[in-house]
Amino acid sequence: MMRAGRFRYVVAKSAAEAAQALADGGGKAMLLAGGTDLVPNMKRRQQMPEIVVSLRQVAELREVAMNGETAIGAGVTLADVVRDPRLRQHGALFRAVAQVATPLIRNTATLGGNLCLDTRCNYYDQNYEWRRAIDFCKKAPGPEAVAIDAVADDGDGTCWVAPSSARCWAVSSTDSAPALIALGARVTLLSSRDGAREIPLEALFHDDGMHYMTKRADEVLTRVRVPHDGVRSTYWKLRRRGAFDFPALGVAAAVRFGTAGVVEHARVVLGAVASKPLLLPESSLLVGRALTDDAIAEFVDATARWAKPLDNTDFLMTWRKQVSKLFLGGVLRELRGDDVQTFPLLARRAATLRNPVW
Ligand SMILES: Cc1cc2nc3c(=O)[nH]c(=O)nc-3n(C[C@H](O)[C@H](O)[C@H](O)COP(=O)(O)OP(=O)(O)OC[C@H]3O[C@@H](n4cnc5c(N)ncnc54)[C@H](O)[C@@H]3O)c2cc1C
Ligand code: SF4
């Protein structure tokens, strides 16, 4: 049985108390929300905080409010996001969250924990003995290094995915972040030093597998705000097992249509192909025209360059790149009203034909 190392457990009663405990921890403290990511990581010695600050008794983080916009507390469970009929208007969020893990895990896992999820890599998401056998890697370079998200050092050791690389290429695998970025969400970060600050969700992430968040180690993510701006949105996820699995690719899109089906606003985001969710700058190419087959094909051609998966998660990377084109076109076809029920089946069929790992 794997056991976590020794740590001090602090129970916060408010977000401010949690922020104070992080500040007092001097970079050696981490927050525990549902614990569905952090606890396995602690048992595998990937993350080894000396102080664990529990958010589980912080009631203020579990509130959902609708007031011309949607405000969701970071401590709201994924099950409650899926169950809340008021949140159904945000189609991409519902689709993404409903596909995270299993119902049992969603009962405990929180939205804040999902946004701050550690990045993933085949050489990292292994137990301690497995990683010791390959002499560890940059992201978790052994027992003496205390690897805590934003305060991890630059990493000794080799990156087994790209041995000559100075950086870590572990992959952002959160399902909710691409969806919420497409929806134009903003997040509030609270610290005892600076109080609250709000940033666009896309600004929360760095494209770096180790330093994957811009959030400081002393900041608590307290709230996610989603505008009500009349968009239609969706999220498509590629994963090995239909029942539950991390995304090998996620594509989220939010589009607002004006008269005659002309696009007024569009945001398309790729997940699980880089160390952060990628908000595609070419989304603006969709604006000012109808979503015709030609418009969609041009968009897919222009954006395919962003999907550059590495060989450190599931499936062959070349195949994942091909599926990203299929999904980029598929989300837009769904939003313009096509019946796309057969699309995932097509992807699975393509997998059987082309991917020997399937
Ligand atoms: C079998 C299995 C399958 C999974 N499948 C998926 C999947 O398909 N898609 C997916 O996205 N995830 C998946 N996960 C990962 C995880 O369950 C979810 O991402 C979950 O939402 C994490 O939330 P949590 O509350 O449990 O986070 P925790 O484990 O408590 O925390 C995760 C990280 O976020 C930080 N954190 C938590 N709350 C805050 C906050 N308010 N402010 C700042 N930092 C915070 C923690 O310090 C930690 O670094 C899976 C996990 C398992 C075990
Ligand atoms: S990408 Fe490289 S450094 Fe990062 S976790 Fe994987 S092997 Fe380690």
Side-chain angles (χ1 to χ4, degrees), residues 106-135:
R106 291 197 297 272
N107 279 338
T108 311
T110 64
L111 189 60
N114 191 249
L115 291 174
C116 300
L117 180 67
D118 195 7
T119 50
R120 296 179 62 78
C121 169
N122 286 342
Y123 296 92
Y124 172 70
D125 292 296
Q126 305 289 349
N127 65 31
Y128 176 80
E129 288 72 22
W130 192 101
R131 288 183 296 113
R132 186 175 58 186
I134 61 162
D135 200 19

Side-chain angles (χ1 to χ4, degrees), residues 121 123-124 137-139 159-161 168-170 312:
C121 169
Y123 296 92
Y124 172 70
C137 76
K138 268 185 194 306
K139 186 164 158 72
C159 169
W160 297 110
V161 175
C168 162
W169 297 88
N312 60 350

